[in-house]
Structure formats: C-alpha cells, structure tokens
C-alpha cells in the first residue's frame, strides 16, 4: 500500500509542492473545503469535511487534513506538527463540544525531500488519541517517493478505522 508518491515533480514544480497540489486536488474532489493559511511563514494546506454515520454511534466526525512542505522531517518536527494540528482542529471545529456526539479526526501531513527514517516509523507506528480526537500523522519522503502513515485498526477509535484507512488511501496515495 505504501509506494509511489502521486504528483511527484508535476508541472515543473519541486516534488513537495507538486505533491501538496495533488493532495489539494484529491481533497477538493472528495468534497472537502480547502484553503491555504500562513503558519509562522509556512504555507499550510487545510482541508476539512464532516461526516455523520449511524454506525459511529450516531456521531459526527470532523476530519481535518493539514499539510505542509518543510525542509526536513524529524521525529520532533512531525510530533510538534501533530500537536499543532490537533489544537487547530479543536479550536476550529465549531458546534457542540468534542465528545458530545462529535469527534475530531486529523491527518497532519509533512512532505520533504529530507526525511529521517525514524520520523516515518513514528508516523506508521500508531494512531494518536486524545479525548474524542484521533490523529494519523503522515510523512511523505518525496525523494524516495514514499508515504508513511498508520493504517491499522486500534482498539480505541476502532469504529472509525475503515474511514481513516479509506480517506488516507484516497488523499495520500490517490487510490
């Protein structure tokens, strides 16, 4: 399931920017609202959608995809970005408080041509969970054309696992 990075080097763009453009295109095609924001001088793609399923115990899940190209990805970089994305999602969800038939899911995505293999392992290791908030960090190595993310079914949040796997495959692998 891991493998070639869609969008690698399209239209003469550097590979990380081309990859982000392809992610934006797939998010938009899936009905996500997308926009670019400036996070301390770094252009960040933000995609958002909300889905309701009776099979999720009548819960609405707000899914945020936040992606940026960075010079280098290390474990502290993806870990810090994941924390920033979770705070951003909580602050921007709106509506009822998290936990009251509302949950947050997030894909914090960093893409670079310099990636520490430990950062890939960190992203692939597990889903990160805080009360009613689940994140699946994504690390993209544009040089190796490799996407690393957790694709399992954890005990906590298992009811959403298939949704995360399907959206991750669609958004980051173009499947």
């Amino acid at each position: 399931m891991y493998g070639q990075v869609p969008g690698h080097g399209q239209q003469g763009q550097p590979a990380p920017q081309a990859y982000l453009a392809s992610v934006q295109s797939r998010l938009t095609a899936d009905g996500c609202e997308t926009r670019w924001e400036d996070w301390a001088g770094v252009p960040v793609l933000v995609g958002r959608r909300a889905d309701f399923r009776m099979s999720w115990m009548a819960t609405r899940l707000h899914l945020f995809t936040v992606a940026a190209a960075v010079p280098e990805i290390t474990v502290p970089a993806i870990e810090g970005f994941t924390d920033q994305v979770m705070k951003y999602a909580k602050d921007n969800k709106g509506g009822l408080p998290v936990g009251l038939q509302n949950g947050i899911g997030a894909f914090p995505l960093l893409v670079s041509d310099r990636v520490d293999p430990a950062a890939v392992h960190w992203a692939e290791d597990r889903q990160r969970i805080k009360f009613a908030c689940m994140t699946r960090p994504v690390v993209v190595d544009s040089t190796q054309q490799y996407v690393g993310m957790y694709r399992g079914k954890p005990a906590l949040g298992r009811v959403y696992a298939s949704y995360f796997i399907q959206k991750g495959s669609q958004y980051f692998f173009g499947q």
Side-chain angles (χ1 to χ4, degrees):
M1 289 272 181
Y2 304 106
Q4 187 170 357
V5 176
H8 182 70
Q10 292 176 354
Q11 303 165 353
Q13 296 175 321
Q17 285 73 25
Y19 181 76
L20 290 179
S22 70
V23 168
Q24 182 176 19
S25 176
R26 288 189 293 277
L27 289 169
T28 301
D30 192 42
C32 295
E33 299 172 27
T34 63
R35 68 180 174 280
W36 286 89
E37 296 185 6
D38 183 309
W39 286 20
V42 176
V44 175
L45 170 64
V46 177
R48 179 181 178 178
R49 67 177 293 127
D51 293 291
F52 176 86
R53 303 270 196 292
M54 290 302 290
S55 62
W56 295 341
M57 299 169 283
T59 300
R60 176 173 306 284
L61 182 68
H62 299 268
L63 181 63
F64 288 81
T65 301
V66 183
V70 294
E72 181 178 19
I73 304 173
T74 61
V75 171
I78 188 61
E79 192 171 20
F81 189 67
T82 297
D83 290 342
Q84 285 180 306
V85 169
M86 183 55 65
K87 182 179 180 341
Y88 177 88
K90 284 181 180 179
D91 292 347
N92 289 280
K93 180 192 73 58
L96 293 172
V98 174
L100 298 175
Q101 300 307 112
N102 274 287
I104 294 175
F107 288 117
L109 181 149
L110 290 180
V111 58
S112 180
D113 56 7
R114 291 183 22 220
V115 178
D116 180 348
V120 174
H121 175 72
W122 187 88
E124 292 175 341
D125 182 51
R126 64 185 164 89
Q127 174 172 278
R128 275 57 185 184
I129 299 177
K130 294 182 181 175
F131 178 73
C133 301
M134 298 155 284
T135 59
R136 291 199 178 204
V138 182
V139 171
V140 178
D141 184 330
S142 59
T143 301
Q144 299 297 316
Q145 298 186 14
Y146 186 85
V147 178
M149 66 175 281
Y150 177 72
R151 297 173 62 87
K153 294 184 177 184
L156 288 174
R158 186 175 191 87
V159 70
Y160 304 104
S162 295
Y163 177 81
F164 282 117
I165 292 167
Q166 185 264 326
K167 293 299 183 192
S169 294
Q170 181 179 356
Y171 298 163
F172 313 124
F173 297 93
Q175 300 173 347

